[in-house]
Amino acid sequence: MLRFIVRRLLQVIPTLLLLSVLVFAWLRSLPGGPATAFLGDRATPESVANLERVLGLDQPIPVQYAQFLGRVVTGDFGTSTITGEPVLTEIGRALPATIELSVAALLIAVLLGIPLGYLAARKRGGPLDVSTVIGTLVGVAVPVFFLGYILKAVFAVELGLFPPSGRQSVAVDATDVTGFAVLDGLLTREFDAALDALSHLVLPAVALATIPLAVIVRITRASVLEVLGADFVRTANSKGLAPGTVRGRHVLRNALLPVSTTIGLQVGLLLAGAVLTERVFVWGGIGTLLADAITLRDYPRLQAILLLGALVYVLVNLLVDLSYAIIDPRVRLS
């Protein structure tokens, strides 16, 4: 197990190195540049040249990349050209909001998706199965930002059930401990603040969870159908094992292997969907930072967010691989 973890962690290094080259080359190939974006349309060529010299952008591309890589190795991702703050400070401040939103969306997708997919497979051809298949097709087809606007218009504006935007109401005097609004409310026993944060979390989490939920339902349904027709399940039934034992020990456990892989892959989609969801609900997380960085061509912030996003993605999929040994003891990670 330890050798497997070390080997997978070592594989992260060339992955991030290759990604850093791609991101660096892509950003430098874009028209304009951070100096032009920072100084605006009225900037003179002399002022642009001076700022590029200050930022080190007048150096040859390989030199710029080597300098960038050297800073990254020491944990220095540079300074944002938008705010002038260290990029890591900005990311550290916004990261809890995105983690809170992504975890809530993933919990909704997993806790609803696996039981729903399982029941749809068990009732194959029935009303539940047909409605589930249609619902998942709609869930995959509807863009996240469009669904976000619909949820906001119906449940926030028309019905007034949930707040339309933000993470907490301005009137709530909440204590900030970890940056996670709901968790902070529970830790400090400010339950009104926790409930307020939770009410703000519902709509964006539901919007962000839609596509992962649809995918998990479909994968679970297909996987359970395949396992239900396997010989070992028929053998278990012929031996007279209790239905609950067959379902839990033989069907669900074997069907969860592809589902766990899908959940790991959905993490990347959650990070991508968070950009749009956060913009719709003015959430103020990493997605908002990324969108502003793309609009204003903030190279240091873009590079840092993309690399850290890739690191999170790789680590989450490592955890998924480790979960194989727990779900199915036949899998040996060594």
Side-chain angles (χ1 to χ4, degrees):
M1 178 75 77
L2 181 61
R3 290 177 58 189
F4 174 81
I5 295 174
V6 172
R7 191 168 66 243
R8 288 298 304 270
L9 288 176
L10 290 176
Q11 290 175 356
V12 173
I13 297 174
T15 303
L16 293 180
L17 195 61
L18 177 61
L19 183 66
S20 70
V21 173
L22 293 176
V23 170
F24 193 85
W26 171 65
L27 291 175
R28 291 327 188 259
S29 67
L30 295 177
T36 305
F38 183 78
L39 295 174
D41 296 334
R42 297 183 178 180
T44 63
E46 292 77 15
S47 61
V48 172
N50 287 332
L51 185 57
E52 287 182 341
R53 188 164 49 253
V54 171
L55 298 176
L57 299 174
D58 59 336
Q59 300 291 324
I61 294 297
V63 175
Q64 290 184 43
Y65 177 73
Q67 292 174 344
F68 160 72
L69 203 58
R71 291 195 302 270
V72 168
V73 170
T74 60
D76 179 12
F77 283 88
T79 303
S80 168
T81 58
I82 300 174
T83 63
E85 283 188 286
V87 170
L88 278 187
T89 302
E90 289 185 332
I91 292 177
R93 193 165 51 236
L95 190 59
T98 298
I99 292 178
E100 189 172 56
L101 176 60
S102 300
V103 169
L106 194 60
L107 284 176
I108 292 173
V110 172
L111 295 180
L112 289 180
I114 293 177
L116 195 56
Y118 177 77
L119 290 176
R122 290 287 311 282
K123 307 295 182 183
R124 185 181 186 183
L128 177 63
D129 185 32
V130 174
S131 58
T132 299
V133 171
I134 295 174
T136 54
L137 283 175
V138 174
V140 173
V142 176
V144 172
F145 70 93
F146 180 63
L147 179 63
Y149 279 119
I150 291 178
L151 292 175
K152 192 172 176 178
V154 175
F155 293 100
V157 178
E158 292 296 328
L159 301 178
L161 296 177
F162 300 101
S165 61
R167 296 184 66 197
Q168 275 188 320
S169 301
V170 179
V172 175
D173 184 19
T175 304
D176 187 2
V177 180
T178 64
F180 299 96
V182 177
L183 181 62
D184 286 349
L186 297 176
L187 291 176
T188 57
R189 296 181 179 274
E190 296 172 350
F191 298 116
D192 57 333
L195 286 175
D196 181 72
L198 195 59
S199 66
H200 282 76
L201 183 60
V202 171
L203 291 184
V206 170
L208 186 58
T210 307
I211 293 179
L213 172 62
V215 173
I216 290 173
V217 168
R218 293 181 70 83
I219 294 295
T220 304
R221 177 183 176 276
S223 183
V224 170
L225 283 176
E226 182 180 353
V227 174
L228 283 174
D231 292 337
F232 63 88
V233 173
R234 284 195 291 270
T235 303
N237 285 323
S238 65
K239 286 182 176 178
L241 293 179
T245 304
V246 176
R247 288 196 295 266
R249 186 178 299 173
H250 297 285
V251 177
L252 198 54
R253 173 171 284 188
N254 287 282
L256 281 180
L257 278 176
V259 177
S260 62
T261 303
T262 303
I263 292 172
L265 295 175
Q266 292 304 308
V267 173
L269 294 178
L270 280 177
L271 295 176
V275 177
L276 300 174
T277 308
E278 290 183 6
R279 296 293 282 188
V280 173
F281 291 97
V282 196
W283 191 251
I286 295 294
T288 305
L289 284 184
L290 182 60
D292 291 342
I294 293 173
T295 304
L296 300 174
R297 295 194 290 274
D298 189 341
Y299 288 2
R301 185 191 287 180
L302 263 176
Q303 290 166 159
I305 292 176
L306 293 176
L307 287 177
L308 291 176
L311 179 62
V312 170
Y313 188 77
V314 171
L315 292 179
V316 168
N317 279 276
L318 171 61
L319 293 177
V320 170
D321 289 345
L322 294 176
S323 71
Y324 287 172
I326 300 173
I327 297 173
D328 188 348
R330 295 174 301 175
V331 177
R332 293 291 179 265
L333 299 178
S334 60

